[in-house]
Amino acid sequence: MHYQGPSTDDLDNIHALNRRFLESLPMAGDSICAGLSDRPLSESQQAHLGRAPFLLFSLREAEPDYWEYVLSGDAQLDLLASERPLNPQTRELQAAGLCFLWQLARYNPYAVRIVSGAPPSWCEQVAALPVVTFLRRTAQRTDMLVPRFRNQANVWQRLLKSGISADAKLRAMSHQSALQAMLTRVDSIDHAINREHLKVAAARLPTPGLKTGAAAPTKSKL
């Protein structure tokens, strides 16, 4: 089994998705990001934090019961979830994130785990569906896209401080710390994963100020 991390093009897509996500911080009212940050991030801070080598938002990939329901084919919208319509920006981001992970799950499911914490079963379910079917079954979900680490306030506090620093080494340390927090959680949920393989793949990510391994073969961008 190959344990190939994300390619350079994969990371370019992750950074673009992260920047789109950060553009909504903070937003008023019923925003998915409400309360995550008490002040707007400048463009340079968004650029710094957006360079994290993983998705800063989650599509609830590590919740098997939720996705079993979503992909069941005849799932109806929950009344509670349907009370909060998605704004156009969030809907666009959700569709783009889903398309990216669907594509990545087909040619490198291991990388999906590194950048989103998704378990193998999620990658298998997603990759087995045609993209049109996948998007149709997820299009109306208003409870899917949430900030990553939403129950780990300390991780976000660190990301919103040292993770936006102009100091590349300090920023890289913050991003890597958050990545390890995510991978540790993945390891605690799925005992079949080999933690050493994750560490090796994560260490190869081209983060500023850190040594990296050879770049993976590139794939076409979305």
Side-chain angles (χ1 to χ4, degrees), residues 187-207:
D187 184 67
S188 68
I189 294 174
D190 179 7
H191 299 289
I193 194 169
N194 187 314
R195 180 178 293 184
E196 292 306 313
H197 289 150
L198 274 180
K199 286 182 178 179
V200 170
R204 291 174 178 166
L205 295 176
T207 308

Side-chain angles (χ1 to χ4, degrees), residues 164-176:
I164 60 176
S165 172
D167 184 321
K169 290 186 177 180
L170 181 61
R171 191 167 67 244
M173 290 174 60
S174 176
H175 294 174
Q176 286 291 328

Side-chain angles (χ1 to χ4, degrees), residues 4-8 204-206 211-217:
Q4 183 64 63
S7 71
T8 300
R204 291 174 178 166
L205 295 176
K211 295 182 179 180
T212 62

Side-chain angles (χ1 to χ4, degrees), residues 142-202:
T142 63
D143 58 347
M144 180 175 289
L145 195 152
V146 296
R148 196 168 298 283
F149 312 117
R150 55 178 170 162
N151 296 320
Q152 296 173 275
N154 60 316
V155 177
W156 265 111
Q157 289 171 1
R158 184 163 56 246
L159 284 173
L160 291 172
K161 290 181 180 178
S162 54
I164 60 176
S165 172
D167 184 321
K169 290 186 177 180
L170 181 61
R171 191 167 67 244
M173 290 174 60
S174 176
H175 294 174
Q176 286 291 328
S177 175
L179 176 62
Q180 290 298 326
M182 182 179 74
L183 297 184
T184 299
R185 180 178 181 277
V186 172
D187 184 67
S188 68
I189 294 174
D190 179 7
H191 299 289
I193 194 169
N194 187 314
R195 180 178 293 184
E196 292 306 313
H197 289 150
L198 274 180
K199 286 182 178 179
V200 170

Side-chain angles (χ1 to χ4, degrees), residues 6-22 41 43-56 115 156 159 162-165 167-168 171-176 178-179 202 205-210 212 221:
S7 71
T8 300
D9 280 354
D10 295 332
L11 288 170
D12 286 344
N13 278 315
I14 290 167
H15 299 158
L17 289 166
N18 282 344
R19 283 295 300 275
R20 188 64 172 166
F21 173 69
L22 291 172
L41 298 177
E43 289 189 10
S44 62
Q45 289 173 333
Q46 289 182 19
H48 289 331
L49 184 51
R51 298 289 295 178
F54 56 88
L55 290 175
L56 293 171
V115 304
W156 265 111
L159 284 173
S162 54
I164 60 176
S165 172
D167 184 321
R171 191 167 67 244
M173 290 174 60
S174 176
H175 294 174
Q176 286 291 328
L179 176 62
L205 295 176
T207 308
L210 298 180
T212 62
K221 299 179 185 178

Side-chain angles (χ1 to χ4, degrees), residues 55 57-76 78 93-102 105 112 116-146 148 150 185:
L55 290 175
F57 60 91
S58 169
L59 296 164
R60 302 177 62 174
E61 308 92 335
E63 299 182 37
D65 292 342
Y66 174 82
W67 274 96
E68 182 179 358
Y69 178 73
V70 169
L71 298 180
S72 64
D74 59 351
Q76 300 297 316
D78 296 325
L93 176 61
Q94 179 169 299
L98 288 168
C99 283
F100 169 68
L101 291 180
W102 174 86
V112 178
S116 73
S121 58
W122 188 86
C123 295
E124 293 170 2
Q125 285 179 303
V126 165
L129 292 173
V131 67
V132 173
T133 301
F134 180 53
L135 290 179
R136 185 174 64 245
R137 293 182 183 178
T138 57
Q140 301 305 315
R141 299 305 309 187
T142 63
D143 58 347
M144 180 175 289
L145 195 152
V146 296
R148 196 168 298 283
R150 55 178 170 162
R185 180 178 181 277

